[in-house]
Amino acid sequence: PHTLLAAVSLLSLTACEQLKDAADIKFETSYEETFAVNILVATEPDGSAQFSDNGSIDLTTGEVADYVDKLKNISIKSVQLQVLSYSGPAAAEISGSIDVGGGFALAIPPTNMQDAFNAPQTIDLSDQAGAFNYIKDQLLDLNVLNYSMEGVVSEVPVQAEFKIIYTLDVTANP
């Protein structure tokens, strides 16, 4: 009798867990932040100029807000940079990194800003040494990620607007 009761209890527990998992919802969402750069004078002897800015991903806003207390998993699909507007020398390039914290950063490869603006394209910032996992862990634990962008433009004067796009796959159980 006890073996049968244990088996029925285990089956019930397994069935309840499967029902709970079946209620999971999965969706893709993105968080975007726009940065403006207006550099008139070089800051470096080679004629280039450095710039920096800060941003954040806040899961209590946007599509995830309704599920923020019920998150099961987040997967970082991509982080991309897009040049929204550009005025400056035709050969000027942007490069640098996005520091996501915890010693993790995403490199911004040298990219010609005029070309990226004229032929609208997004530049994929690939996962480096586990940065995507760090971003996921911060978002699951704290619901927010603060990051900083450190960059260099190779020539001045430059007026530009950039967008950083974080694309996430979210799993929640309402």
Side-chain angles (χ1 to χ4, degrees):
H2 292 289
T3 306
L4 181 59
L5 182 59
V8 169
S9 295
L10 183 59
L11 285 173
S12 295
L13 183 61
T14 303
C16 287
E17 194 60 37
Q18 288 174 342
L19 283 173
K20 185 177 176 187
D21 287 345
D24 286 356
I25 60 161
K26 297 178 183 184
F27 59 94
E28 180 180 294
T29 188
S30 63
Y31 286 84
E32 301 177 355
E33 187 116 21
T34 301
F35 300 95
V37 176
N38 185 9
I39 305 172
L40 302 177
V41 180
T43 61
E44 305 302 313
D46 67 357
S48 65
Q50 295 185 8
F51 67 93
S52 63
D53 212 333
N54 298 304
S56 66
I57 300 172
D58 184 352
L59 296 184
T60 63
T61 65
E63 292 179 84
V64 180
D66 291 340
Y67 306 101
V68 77
D69 295 329
K70 299 163 182 88
L71 294 174
K72 287 183 73 177
N73 192 30
I74 294 173
S75 174
I76 312 305
K77 288 185 69 174
S78 65
V79 180
Q80 298 174 310
L81 174 75
Q82 186 176 20
V83 180
L84 300 176
S85 66
Y86 177 72
S87 174
E93 291 185 332
I94 182 177
S95 60
S97 66
I98 298 174
D99 181 348
V100 297
F104 294 99
L106 300 170
I108 300 171
T111 302
N112 180 288
M113 291 183 283
Q114 185 72 55
D115 291 348
F117 174 64
N118 285 345
Q121 58 182 318
T122 54
I123 297 102
D124 282 317
L125 308 181
S126 61
D127 189 11
Q128 311 231 334
F132 282 14
N133 279 333
Y134 179 80
I135 294 169
K136 173 192 79 161
D137 291 344
Q138 290 299 296
L139 292 173
L140 285 171
D141 293 345
L142 305 173
N143 298 325
V144 68
L145 173 76
N146 295 308
Y147 60 91
S148 62
M149 180 169 57
E150 304 289 329
V152 175
V153 292
S154 62
E155 299 179 49
V156 293
V158 165
Q159 283 187 307
E161 203 171 47
F162 305 97
K163 179 168 47 176
I164 305 289
I165 307 158
Y166 293 84
T167 304
L168 318 173
D169 275 339
V170 176
T171 304
N173 190 299

